[in-house]
Amino acid sequence: MLEVSAEGGRALCRLDDVPDGGAIAVDIDSSTGGFNLILLRRGERIFAYHNECPHAGRRLDWSPGKFLVKDASVICAAHGATFDVTSGAVIAGPCRNGLVPMPLRVVDGVVVLQ
Ligand code: FES
């Protein structure tokens, strides 16, 4: 884990740790037990969502940190709900709601959770 940034955010990883066009999972510790995020990268842009599908509350990945990402969408491994990478909105499948976004910024090549 990287050091907490001077500006108070939580450093998650380096931008280069996330494959361009792909995704990784990151564990976030908290006093309430923590949670997991999916980070998706598109070039110099990166997007974060709770790694929890709004359909049935399952993780999106088929194995920890392994996601079904195709073109501009990420697909829930449980029942196939499909979400837009850049907005988290539902494209297809059994969900009515999109993914829950988390605010990020990139500082000197480090991905920081705000
Ligand atoms: S839990 Fe994701 S589609 Fe059902």
Side-chain angles (χ1 to χ4, degrees), residues 1-105:
M1 180 63 75
L2 299 170
E3 295 294 320
V4 173
S5 81
E7 297 171 14
R10 184 182 301 203
L12 301 179
C13 64
R14 298 201 58 81
L15 181 65
D16 291 343
D17 293 335
V18 185
D20 194 4
I24 65 169
V26 176
D27 288 319
I28 305 295
D29 296 328
S30 79
S31 60
T32 56
F35 55 93
N36 190 262
L37 297 180
I38 175 175
L39 304 184
L40 296 130
R41 179 178 171 194
R42 292 293 176 274
E44 298 304 305
R45 300 193 306 161
I46 192 152
F47 307 90
Y49 305 97
H50 278 273
N51 185 11
E52 180 177 336
C53 181
H55 174 231
R58 303 262 294 271
R59 285 173 60 121
L60 299 165
D61 36 6
W62 54 269
S63 177
K66 305 293 185 188
F67 296 90
L68 301 169
V69 181
K70 184 176 182 197
D71 300 326
S73 60
V74 57
I75 303 163
C76 177
H79 311 112
T82 304
F83 305 92
D84 182 87
V85 165
T86 61
S87 70
V90 178
I91 296 172
C95 292
R96 292 181 179 216
N97 300 315
L99 300 174
V100 176
M102 297 293 286
L104 292 182
R105 59 195 157 92

Side-chain angles (χ1 to χ4, degrees), residues 5-10 46 103-107 110-114:
S5 81
E7 297 171 14
R10 184 182 301 203
I46 192 152
L104 292 182
R105 59 195 157 92
V106 178
V107 180
V110 176
V111 179
V112 177
L113 180 64
Q114 301 186 80

